Amino acid sequence: MADSVGRSLPDGDEALRVAMVEALRAAGSVRSAAVAEAMLTVPRHVFAPEATLEEAYEPERALVTKRNEYGLAVSSVSAARIQAQMLEQADVRPGMRVLEIGSGGYNAALIAEVVGPEGEVVTVDIDPFVTERAEKYLAEAGYERVRVVLADGSAPVEGGPFDRIVVTVGAWDLPPAWTGALVEGGTITVPLRMHGLTRSIAFRREGERLVSVSATVSGFVKIQGTDAHDEFLVLPRGTKEIGLRFDELERPDTSRLGGVLDTPRAEWWSGVTIGNQEPFDSLYLWLASSLPGFGLMSVDPELDTKTVAPANRMACPVIVDGGSLAYLALRKISDDPVTFEFGAHGFGPEGGPLAALINAEVRRWDRDHRTSSGPVFTAQPIGTSNDQLPDGLVIDKSHVRLTISWP
């Protein structure tokens, strides 16, 4: 058996590629013939030789290629589902010039397949381990025409302007070099973090501003280099059992939270229900857009004393005001069909009112935004005055003023 450029394939590779693409089509991640053909053509296993063939072609599996000293992934071949979604979002077309921020090789090869021999692909990474691997495996897979650059992805890159920029690392900000590298009307597709929540957003350039054309839930390893940004972590009990994370430059005063979780827990329920497996990712973004003092709560399962019962123990909306806090909660109210009710738990002297505030916003989301297409995201240079911004929540990053505008 051989692939499109005549190389011999390991047994089962072609069948695994076909099965992967069929699964991605069924899930709606692959929608176009161009993306399907690229994923059928590029040998994904070549770019992650550490994985077994079966692992390489599992649609939901990210293939970690490097970890830091704490065991956290700092480089990976992202899950095929995520890569397919981003390629569809980016709307890459034949003959385009494309810049990829964050390398690895496989995604750049997919882009090269879509743009064809008349197009150009440049892939950039700050880590020489990553760029050396990318160059090696791109050559092995037959994509030497992809230019691999070792550089900080936030800095200008030679070869522009580009029709498309695809960012394959989690970004907290939008450096001016990215907007400046885009042609007018070109798009940048980027996993952007806002209040700790990441959305893969396709922005179109309109002069000096970027306006979203689509957004999906996404997750990537964090960007390194000049524009790396760490969240602010608060441990209200002094241990790693419960952590509160705040992601923006402006964050609430958390100095009075000591002992707050030793106070009685107030429970308030909204009357808004959700079925088992029914998605509600837009709720988190709505709460981040509408609630002051917003952050995310996480609970270490090995240290959990059941003091708190958040709706999501990995990353649950929480709000803080002085010496009080409240977080989103869920309770099962029916077994057949399985149905849950949204609510909130509060701690501290104002815990009850904070929980009631969360419930009020849950009800607003249910009434006005649950079935909507979601918000529009607009990014403008950091010096833009308030009267030039659209209505909505404004988040000031280091380089841009990001506005989240709900219909």
Side-chain angles (χ1 to χ4, degrees), residues 97-114:
R97 182 181 290 129
V98 181
L99 171 64
E100 180 190 43
I101 307 294
S103 197
Y106 176 65
N107 199 61
L110 293 175
I111 296 170
E113 275 293 328
V114 177

Side-chain angles (χ1 to χ4, degrees), residues 210-229:
L210 300 170
V211 181
S212 68
V213 293
S214 67
T216 63
V217 177
S218 182
F220 282 80
V221 295
K222 294 179 181 179
I223 196 170
Q224 301 178 56
T226 305
D227 282 292
H229 178 84

Side-chain angles (χ1 to χ4, degrees), residues 1-9 13-14 17 41 43 141:
M1 187 184 298
D3 70 6
S4 60
V5 293
R7 295 179 301 272
S8 62
L9 293 173
D13 172 73
E14 188 174 88
R17 285 192 223 175
T41 302

Side-chain angles (χ1 to χ4, degrees), residues 156-210:
V157 177
E158 291 184 6
F162 298 94
D163 302 292
R164 299 287 188 266
I165 299 177
V166 180
V167 183
T168 61
V169 288
W172 178 80
D173 206 347
L174 297 166
W178 293 354
T179 305
L182 269 178
V183 300
E184 179 69 16
T187 65
I188 176 170
T189 304
V190 53
L192 186 63
R193 220 167 71 231
M194 304 153 288
H195 284 301
L197 306 172
T198 300
R199 297 292 182 270
S200 176
I201 304 174
F203 288 100
R204 178 180 291 116
R205 180 176 181 180
E206 298 179 358
E208 291 303 304
R209 72 175 189 166
L210 300 170

